[in-house]
Amino acid sequence: LTGRCRLQEAPAGPVIGMRALFLSAYQRLYCAVLSSVYVLAIPAMYQLARLRGGPRVPVFGSISAVVESNAGDLAFVADVAGPSIHLWSTKSWQWLSRLELPQGGGPAQHLTTANQVLYSSTETERFMAFDFSKSPPKCILEGAGGGPMATLSAEESLVILSKGKLQ
């Protein structure tokens, strides 16, 4: 054990459970709890940032997924309320924008990135891809066939598990 961290909403508050975790290639661990995302430096496990709503930043409903861009400059946080995906700069830890997802498709449950594209899969197996090379990101693909996803970093290829089959 090289490091340890206890996450609490208040100094005297109860310890809280994780809803989603993401370990980035840039030695950051994203821990989604309730309506906040704690960003910890690893292996020391000290807090770099806490991403949450506030003045001029929409309040999260409940976090369902977190991912960092391959370049390490952006963090994407899926929010059940809305449903939406929030974008944060990892250089300043400032909120940048919010992507509204289509109503009826459900919140994003899985996120991954490759080649300046954010891939999102919802709880109703809706698949979406957003080009984030420019701001604000633009939806470039939307349809059925979503599921748990991963990217193969060497080729930056996308792998989707949809209806029990790898795509």
Side-chain angles (χ1 to χ4, degrees), residues 51-73:
L51 313 179
R52 62 182 173 176
R56 295 179 296 281
V57 178
V59 175
F60 295 138
S62 184
I63 309 299
S64 57
V66 180
V67 72
E68 187 177 85
S69 66
N70 295 40
D73 58 341

Side-chain angles (χ1 to χ4, degrees), residues 99-110:
L99 296 169
E100 297 293 334
L101 301 181
Q103 291 296 324
Q109 295 294 308
H110 308 283

